[in-house]
Amino acid sequence: MYILGFSLLSAILAQLRIPLPNSPVPITGQTLSVLLAGAVLGARRGFASQATYLALGAMGMPVFAGGIGGFPHLLGPTGGYLWSFPIAAGVLGWLMECGAGRAVWKLALALFVSDFLILASGTAWLVILYQAPLSVVLQ
């Protein structure tokens, strides 16, 4: 139930979106749900919740930003961010299991590392696969 619940939380927070000028990737609330999944569920369940979220979207359920679904969306401009969600949740869950939540600075570092994984993956996806100039991606 927790895995499905966090998958649905990701779907809900994906609908909180702020379009950015000159960018095909909006700001969404999904990152919050990914980090919460890892922090609350741990490595395996956090990973599973975000993998389930991607599977629901790939099957056509309208869970991605803007109420979109379908596997082609995972190959679009936001694909690099989406594919990194299970990894980021798993990494954060593992860091929490190793004691990252015991000190504020450790927790902050663990959250930064997980969030950076999402940003780096999405940026690399846009630059490499979509030939987007890095200056546009980092706006």
Side-chain angles (χ1 to χ4, degrees), residues 33-82:
S33 65
V34 172
L35 297 179
L36 281 173
V40 172
L41 299 179
R44 286 179 290 201
R45 289 183 186 157
F47 180 94
S49 73
Q50 296 311 300
T52 301
Y53 168 69
L54 295 182
L56 292 171
M59 290 187 298
M61 296 190 75
V63 296
F64 299 135
I68 298 171
F71 187 78
H73 191 69
L74 291 171
L75 302 176
T78 60
Y81 298 96
L82 293 170

Side-chain angles (χ1 to χ4, degrees), residues 6-98:
F6 273 92
S7 298
L8 296 176
L9 179 63
S10 294
I12 292 166
L13 291 179
Q15 306 319 310
L16 299 175
R17 103 187 184 155
I18 302 169
L20 296 173
N22 301 324
S23 176
V25 180
I27 295 173
T28 67
Q30 291 166 296
T31 305
L32 175 62
S33 65
V34 172
L35 297 179
L36 281 173
V40 172
L41 299 179
R44 286 179 290 201
R45 289 183 186 157
F47 180 94
S49 73
Q50 296 311 300
T52 301
Y53 168 69
L54 295 182
L56 292 171
M59 290 187 298
M61 296 190 75
V63 296
F64 299 135
I68 298 171
F71 187 78
H73 191 69
L74 291 171
L75 302 176
T78 60
Y81 298 96
L82 293 170
W83 288 110
S84 71
F85 287 176
I87 296 165
V91 166
L92 181 58
W94 177 75
L95 291 170
M96 294 298 286
E97 291 167 2
C98 291

Side-chain angles (χ1 to χ4, degrees), residues 66-132:
I68 298 171
F71 187 78
H73 191 69
L74 291 171
L75 302 176
T78 60
Y81 298 96
L82 293 170
W83 288 110
S84 71
F85 287 176
I87 296 165
V91 166
L92 181 58
W94 177 75
L95 291 170
M96 294 298 286
E97 291 167 2
C98 291
R102 293 188 187 136
V104 173
W105 71 270
K106 289 180 182 180
L107 177 59
L109 183 60
L111 291 167
F112 175 80
V113 166
S114 299
D115 204 25
F116 182 79
L117 284 172
I118 296 170
L119 179 62
S121 175
T123 301
W125 182 273
L126 284 171
V127 170
I128 294 168
L129 293 180
Y130 284 89
Q131 311 301 310

